[in-house]
Amino acid sequence: MHDSSTRSISLEVYTAFGLKIASELELPELIPAASGVVEDVVIRQADLTEWSEQLEQTHFMIEGESFMFHVPGTAIYAVRGGKEVEVYVYHGADPDTVRLFVLGTCMGVLLLQRRILPLHGSAVVIGGKAYAFVGESGAGKSTLAAAFTQAGYKIVSDDVIAVQATAFKTIVYPAYPQQKLGLESMLQLEALQENKHGRKTNHGLILMDGNPAMPKHGHLRKLTGELNKYALPTVDSFHNEPLPLGGVFELVAESPKREFQREGELKAVIEHSLNMLECLHTLLFHTYRRVVIPRMSLGEWHFRTVARVARQVEGWRLLRDSSAFTASEIVHRVLDIIRKEENSYGS
């Protein structure tokens, strides 16, 4: 631990995940916080090389309230008590990769230490609520969120969704205005933008003409360590206020099979409503960095929190044809589901 009063290095203060984060490392992905705020979390550079040998033998270590892990050639990280992140950056390490793990694994573990549930997925604003899209890597979460933003909706988070559940409500805290998109998805969305015409729904214009086209991929930063993915800034389409969680959609990409055949027509997307137990299982499975939870002695808290969320919100599973580009169809399907849900509550 370090006494900030003895250090001359200035700290920039940012906001993300409902927290004020003071950092020695520049974090250009995050939104600067207002001056004079008191930080919740401090990110500092520190000499953590004494743990190098032990960390080389294992994926991560836990010492009391400290969680440490090692990324060869990049950095050693220590997340302490939900309040501090220490980083030892190896000489010659790529700064983008260093930040990738600060904003990913470090923030996921820090949220767990603060008893905030991190879900692995994207979240967008629909009708004044945040809707979470969870799923395994490659399921299409970020692509779907990008399709929503292209259609005029705001994004709350991509990759890590910070959720806090009380006995009476579940709140989603915004992350930061950046998405991670594959080149193929960006090109598909560009083509969709050029060819689709807007149509009215109860929630606004979908796939409307006149929206800014996706930036050309040549101007985007490729994410080191991410297979053919690029950092896509989303400042203009980012919602930076907490919102109630409206529902959870699990995306599952599957090869076409008999289940997709309905009345002689091949459907690209099939929906299933989840009961409370299915929703609970989905949230447990798609918790970000869930493998570390037992080692952090958070199993009971994790189950209790997820059960609370599953009781308060509705869940759906969307099976999509992995051989087709289905983002636009899923956007329409999701909006239809939400509209029907709202109508059923209003009737």
PDB file of all heavy atoms in Angstrom, residues 16-32:
ATOM      1  N   ALA A  16     -16.606   5.402 -13.931  1.00  0.00           N
ATOM      2  CA  ALA A  16     -16.989   4.162 -14.626  1.00  0.00           C
ATOM      3  C   ALA A  16     -17.564   3.203 -13.598  1.00  0.00           C
ATOM      4  O   ALA A  16     -17.135   3.186 -12.437  1.00  0.00           O
ATOM      5  CB  ALA A  16     -15.792   3.511 -15.323  1.00  0.00           C
ATOM      6  N   PHE A  17     -18.555   2.416 -14.006  1.00  0.00           N
ATOM      7  CA  PHE A  17     -19.172   1.393 -13.152  1.00  0.00           C
ATOM      8  C   PHE A  17     -19.746   1.980 -11.861  1.00  0.00           C
ATOM      9  O   PHE A  17     -19.773   1.331 -10.815  1.00  0.00           O
ATOM     10  CB  PHE A  17     -18.163   0.295 -12.813  1.00  0.00           C
ATOM     11  CG  PHE A  17     -17.533  -0.347 -14.015  1.00  0.00           C
ATOM     12  CD1 PHE A  17     -16.209  -0.087 -14.349  1.00  0.00           C
ATOM     13  CD2 PHE A  17     -18.275  -1.196 -14.834  1.00  0.00           C
ATOM     14  CE1 PHE A  17     -15.634  -0.662 -15.469  1.00  0.00           C
ATOM     15  CE2 PHE A  17     -17.704  -1.777 -15.953  1.00  0.00           C
ATOM     16  CZ  PHE A  17     -16.380  -1.512 -16.278  1.00  0.00           C
ATOM     17  N   GLY A  18     -20.190   3.234 -11.926  1.00  0.00           N
ATOM     18  CA  GLY A  18     -20.743   3.878 -10.744  1.00  0.00           C
ATOM     19  C   GLY A  18     -19.699   4.309  -9.736  1.00  0.00           C
ATOM     20  O   GLY A  18     -20.047   4.682  -8.614  1.00  0.00           O
ATOM     21  N   LEU A  19     -18.419   4.295 -10.129  1.00  0.00           N
ATOM     22  CA  LEU A  19     -17.320   4.605  -9.215  1.00  0.00           C
ATOM     23  C   LEU A  19     -16.512   5.789  -9.733  1.00  0.00           C
ATOM     24  O   LEU A  19     -16.413   6.010 -10.941  1.00  0.00           O
ATOM     25  CB  LEU A  19     -16.390   3.390  -9.075  1.00  0.00           C
ATOM     26  CG  LEU A  19     -17.018   2.087  -8.608  1.00  0.00           C
ATOM     27  CD1 LEU A  19     -16.034   0.937  -8.772  1.00  0.00           C
ATOM     28  CD2 LEU A  19     -17.486   2.208  -7.153  1.00  0.00           C
ATOM     29  N   LYS A  20     -15.910   6.534  -8.799  1.00  0.00           N
ATOM     30  CA  LYS A  20     -14.934   7.555  -9.139  1.00  0.00           C
ATOM     31  C   LYS A  20     -13.550   6.920  -9.006  1.00  0.00           C
ATOM     32  O   LYS A  20     -13.177   6.426  -7.935  1.00  0.00           O
ATOM     33  CB  LYS A  20     -15.057   8.759  -8.202  1.00  0.00           C
ATOM     34  CG  LYS A  20     -16.441   9.423  -8.246  1.00  0.00           C
ATOM     35  CD  LYS A  20     -16.768   9.939  -9.639  1.00  0.00           C
ATOM     36  CE  LYS A  20     -18.079  10.702  -9.678  1.00  0.00           C
ATOM     37  NZ  LYS A  20     -19.249   9.824  -9.448  1.00  0.00           N
ATOM     38  N   ILE A  21     -12.803   6.917 -10.102  1.00  0.00           N
ATOM     39  CA  ILE A  21     -11.554   6.177 -10.182  1.00  0.00           C
ATOM     40  C   ILE A  21     -10.403   7.150 -10.407  1.00  0.00           C
ATOM     41  O   ILE A  21     -10.323   7.791 -11.460  1.00  0.00           O
ATOM     42  CB  ILE A  21     -11.593   5.133 -11.319  1.00  0.00           C
ATOM     43  CG1 ILE A  21     -12.766   4.163 -11.094  1.00  0.00           C
ATOM     44  CG2 ILE A  21     -10.277   4.384 -11.422  1.00  0.00           C
ATOM     45  CD1 ILE A  21     -13.026   3.236 -12.272  1.00  0.00           C
ATOM     46  N   ALA A  22      -9.514   7.276  -9.415  1.00  0.00           N
ATOM     47  CA  ALA A  22      -8.316   8.100  -9.546  1.00  0.00           C
ATOM     48  C   ALA A  22      -7.173   7.212 -10.013  1.00  0.00           C
ATOM     49  O   ALA A  22      -6.921   6.157  -9.426  1.00  0.00           O
ATOM     50  CB  ALA A  22      -7.973   8.765  -8.208  1.00  0.00           C
ATOM     51  N   SER A  23      -6.463   7.625 -11.065  1.00  0.00           N
ATOM     52  CA  SER A  23      -5.481   6.726 -11.664  1.00  0.00           C
ATOM     53  C   SER A  23      -4.192   7.437 -12.061  1.00  0.00           C
ATOM     54  O   SER A  23      -4.224   8.538 -12.624  1.00  0.00           O
ATOM     55  CB  SER A  23      -6.084   6.054 -12.906  1.00  0.00           C
ATOM     56  OG  SER A  23      -5.140   5.228 -13.554  1.00  0.00           O
ATOM     57  N   GLU A  24      -3.057   6.789 -11.765  1.00  0.00           N
ATOM     58  CA  GLU A  24      -1.769   7.238 -12.284  1.00  0.00           C
ATOM     59  C   GLU A  24      -1.647   6.896 -13.764  1.00  0.00           C
ATOM     60  O   GLU A  24      -0.983   7.611 -14.518  1.00  0.00           O
ATOM     61  CB  GLU A  24      -0.616   6.575 -11.516  1.00  0.00           C
ATOM     62  CG  GLU A  24      -0.414   7.106 -10.119  1.00  0.00           C
ATOM     63  CD  GLU A  24       0.781   6.461  -9.432  1.00  0.00           C
ATOM     64  OE1 GLU A  24       1.492   5.678 -10.103  1.00  0.00           O
ATOM     65  OE2 GLU A  24       1.003   6.731  -8.251  1.00  0.00           O
ATOM     66  N   LEU A  25      -2.259   5.793 -14.167  1.00  0.00           N
ATOM     67  CA  LEU A  25      -2.259   5.408 -15.569  1.00  0.00           C
ATOM     68  C   LEU A  25      -3.290   6.239 -16.323  1.00  0.00           C
ATOM     69  O   LEU A  25      -4.394   6.460 -15.824  1.00  0.00           O
ATOM     70  CB  LEU A  25      -2.610   3.928 -15.731  1.00  0.00           C
ATOM     71  CG  LEU A  25      -1.660   2.892 -15.140  1.00  0.00           C
ATOM     72  CD1 LEU A  25      -2.266   1.500 -15.287  1.00  0.00           C
ATOM     73  CD2 LEU A  25      -0.309   2.937 -15.832  1.00  0.00           C
ATOM     74  N   GLU A  26      -2.933   6.698 -17.500  1.00  0.00           N
ATOM     75  CA  GLU A  26      -3.923   7.363 -18.325  1.00  0.00           C
ATOM     76  C   GLU A  26      -4.934   6.343 -18.819  1.00  0.00           C
ATOM     77  O   GLU A  26      -4.573   5.271 -19.298  1.00  0.00           O
ATOM     78  CB  GLU A  26      -3.245   8.043 -19.522  1.00  0.00           C
ATOM     79  CG  GLU A  26      -2.439   9.268 -19.146  1.00  0.00           C
ATOM     80  CD  GLU A  26      -1.955  10.015 -20.386  1.00  0.00           C
ATOM     81  OE1 GLU A  26      -2.457   9.718 -21.489  1.00  0.00           O
ATOM     82  OE2 GLU A  26      -1.077  10.873 -20.245  1.00  0.00           O
ATOM     83  N   LEU A  27      -6.225   6.671 -18.685  1.00  0.00           N
ATOM     84  CA  LEU A  27      -7.304   5.779 -19.104  1.00  0.00           C
ATOM     85  C   LEU A  27      -8.212   6.540 -20.066  1.00  0.00           C
ATOM     86  O   LEU A  27      -9.313   6.966 -19.699  1.00  0.00           O
ATOM     87  CB  LEU A  27      -8.089   5.278 -17.879  1.00  0.00           C
ATOM     88  CG  LEU A  27      -7.275   4.516 -16.829  1.00  0.00           C
ATOM     89  CD1 LEU A  27      -8.127   4.238 -15.587  1.00  0.00           C
ATOM     90  CD2 LEU A  27      -6.729   3.217 -17.395  1.00  0.00           C
ATOM     91  N   PRO A  28      -7.772   6.729 -21.307  1.00  0.00           N
ATOM     92  CA  PRO A  28      -8.534   7.563 -22.243  1.00  0.00           C
ATOM     93  C   PRO A  28      -9.910   7.003 -22.599  1.00  0.00           C
ATOM     94  O   PRO A  28     -10.757   7.734 -23.113  1.00  0.00           O
ATOM     95  CB  PRO A  28      -7.620   7.618 -23.475  1.00  0.00           C
ATOM     96  CG  PRO A  28      -6.741   6.411 -23.367  1.00  0.00           C
ATOM     97  CD  PRO A  28      -6.538   6.206 -21.897  1.00  0.00           C
ATOM     98  N   GLU A  29     -10.136   5.716 -22.330  1.00  0.00           N
ATOM     99  CA  GLU A  29     -11.446   5.126 -22.612  1.00  0.00           C
ATOM    100  C   GLU A  29     -12.519   5.657 -21.672  1.00  0.00           C
ATOM    101  O   GLU A  29     -13.712   5.635 -21.999  1.00  0.00           O
ATOM    102  CB  GLU A  29     -11.386   3.604 -22.481  1.00  0.00           C
ATOM    103  CG  GLU A  29     -10.470   2.906 -23.484  1.00  0.00           C
ATOM    104  CD  GLU A  29      -9.027   2.831 -23.017  1.00  0.00           C
ATOM    105  OE1 GLU A  29      -8.675   3.433 -21.980  1.00  0.00           O
ATOM    106  OE2 GLU A  29      -8.230   2.174 -23.707  1.00  0.00           O
ATOM    107  N   LEU A  30     -12.115   6.113 -20.477  1.00  0.00           N
ATOM    108  CA  LEU A  30     -13.081   6.502 -19.447  1.00  0.00           C
ATOM    109  C   LEU A  30     -13.461   7.976 -19.556  1.00  0.00           C
ATOM    110  O   LEU A  30     -12.766   8.785 -20.168  1.00  0.00           O
ATOM    111  CB  LEU A  30     -12.515   6.225 -18.050  1.00  0.00           C
ATOM    112  CG  LEU A  30     -12.071   4.793 -17.750  1.00  0.00           C
ATOM    113  CD1 LEU A  30     -11.796   4.637 -16.256  1.00  0.00           C
ATOM    114  CD2 LEU A  30     -13.104   3.777 -18.208  1.00  0.00           C
ATOM    115  N   ILE A  31     -14.579   8.325 -18.917  1.00  0.00           N
ATOM    116  CA  ILE A  31     -15.067   9.698 -18.880  1.00  0.00           C
ATOM    117  C   ILE A  31     -14.457  10.411 -17.676  1.00  0.00           C
ATOM    118  O   ILE A  31     -14.531   9.903 -16.548  1.00  0.00           O
ATOM    119  CB  ILE A  31     -16.607   9.723 -18.782  1.00  0.00           C
ATOM    120  CG1 ILE A  31     -17.220   9.092 -20.036  1.00  0.00           C
ATOM    121  CG2 ILE A  31     -17.122  11.143 -18.577  1.00  0.00           C
ATOM    122  CD1 ILE A  31     -18.727   8.972 -19.971  1.00  0.00           C
ATOM    123  N   PRO A  32     -13.837  11.579 -17.875  1.00  0.00           N
ATOM    124  CA  PRO A  32     -13.289  12.320 -16.734  1.00  0.00           C
ATOM    125  C   PRO A  32     -14.388  12.695 -15.742  1.00  0.00           C
ATOM    126  O   PRO A  32     -15.503  13.047 -16.136  1.00  0.00           O
ATOM    127  CB  PRO A  32     -12.679  13.569 -17.385  1.00  0.00           C
ATOM    128  CG  PRO A  32     -12.439  13.188 -18.819  1.00  0.00           C
ATOM    129  CD  PRO A  32     -13.547  12.235 -19.164  1.00  0.00           C
TER     130      PRO A  32
END
